[in-house]
Amino acid sequence: MMFKRSSLKWLLAAAAALMLGGAQARPFDEIKKDGKIIIATEGQFAPFNYFQGTKLTGFEVDVAEAMAAKMGLKVEWKALGFDALLAGLRQDRWDMVIASHGITEERAKAVTFTEPHYCSGGVIVAKDAAIKTAKDLAGKVVSVQTGTTYLENVKKLAGVKEVKNFPQDTDARGALLTGRVDAWVTDRFVAKQALEANPSGGMRMGDFVFVERIASAVAKGNSSLAGEINKALAAILADGTHAGLSKKWFNEDIRCK
Ligand code: ARG
């Protein structure tokens, strides 16, 4: 016999994994044994997930770290383009994604969402004071980030002249600042921070286009992990950790009510 029993076993497991079309998501037990959870985010969506120099930071980075601590896990962070994040769960490249994803039916077909860690929505930002409501977007050019609920919802509005989409939300913002579009639709708290950070930019915040519940996601059907994340989230909501982080980043409580 050329193979040891253990290598034969490994070969069979590998063959089975190949036939199933790829790696299997790590259940909580396995992550716990490893001691470390791999979490992916984007890092270009301040103040939720962004880089301060080379350091990944933001409300969601803090929330995820706090939840991991409750689960007794260390975090290994990965930062990737927004459109790669949910796809990577299916390929088992990371265990969890936290990047301000709104819970949608479409996404829920491909991934399992946890309970939401905040509630928000897409707002209109424009320089022209006459552009405030969804109706005002008629005949206008609007910028949004690719793959987001902003794109999806702005596309549904009647009369919008053109929706320009950008791989990063910061570029969608840049398009408004440089006058290439009439309005930018983004998260309410992202807009708020962008206005504060750029008082001379002339941007004004208008109405909500839609509201949404924002949650982490794990691979479709990884219920052991989703369950533990939900427990950890409930714990940080109950013990004041979440409220403290919310106060630190937004000076208000942004949990879902
Ligand atoms: N909330 C929006 C969505 O669900 C935007 C999320 C954008 N996140 C980011 N990290 N750029 O699609």
Side-chain angles (χ1 to χ4, degrees), residues 9 24 44 50 54 57 105 111 136 139 170 186 191 199 209 228 234 243:
K9 234 167 137 184
Q24 290 295 291
Q44 308 292 343
Y50 68 105
T54 56
T57 186
E105 246 174 71
V111 300
D136 301 334
T170 46
T186 189
V209 177
E228 293 299 325

Side-chain angles (χ1 to χ4, degrees), residues 83-200:
D83 62 350
L85 297 172
L86 297 186
L89 287 173
R90 196 195 288 257
Q91 300 152 349
D92 199 28
R93 291 169 64 198
W94 34 83
D95 302 304
M96 170 183 152
V97 167
I98 187 162
S100 288
H101 284 90
I103 300 175
T104 68
E105 246 174 71
E106 194 56 32
R107 286 173 177 162
K109 286 180 194 157
V111 300
T112 293
F113 279 108
T114 66
E115 292 298 318
H117 54 281
Y118 75 94
C119 269
S120 187
V123 292
I124 297 163
V125 184
K127 293 209 243 181
D128 180 348
I131 306 176
K132 279 185 69 183
T133 69
K135 271 197 189 143
D136 301 334
L137 295 179
K140 301 289 188 269
V141 182
V142 183
S143 64
V144 292
Q145 183 181 20
T146 312
T148 59
T149 50
Y150 315 130
L151 173 61
E152 205 182 295
N153 284 278
V154 172
K155 272 206 291 201
K156 282 194 229 155
L157 298 177
V160 172
K161 184 172 172 200
E162 191 190 344
V163 188
K164 279 202 201 314
N165 63 89
F166 298 84
Q168 292 186 7
D169 189 61
T170 46
D171 296 324
R173 179 189 67 206
L176 173 65
L177 281 168
T178 54
R180 281 174 290 154
V181 299
D182 302 304
W184 164 44
V185 173
T186 189
D187 183 87
R188 177 187 165 216
F189 297 104
V190 171
K192 213 174 152 205
Q193 140 123 13
L195 265 57
E196 280 164 17
N198 198 339
S200 59

Side-chain angles (χ1 to χ4, degrees), residues 221-240:
N222 192 352
S223 49
S224 65
L225 179 55
E228 293 299 325
I229 295 170
N230 283 336
K231 268 195 238 164
L233 176 59
I236 64 165
L237 281 166
D239 74 1

Side-chain angles (χ1 to χ4, degrees), residues 8 54 58-59 78 90 126 176 178 210 218:
L8 189 62
T54 56
F59 174 70
K78 306 244 185 230
R90 196 195 288 257
L176 173 65
T178 54
F210 66 99
V218 300

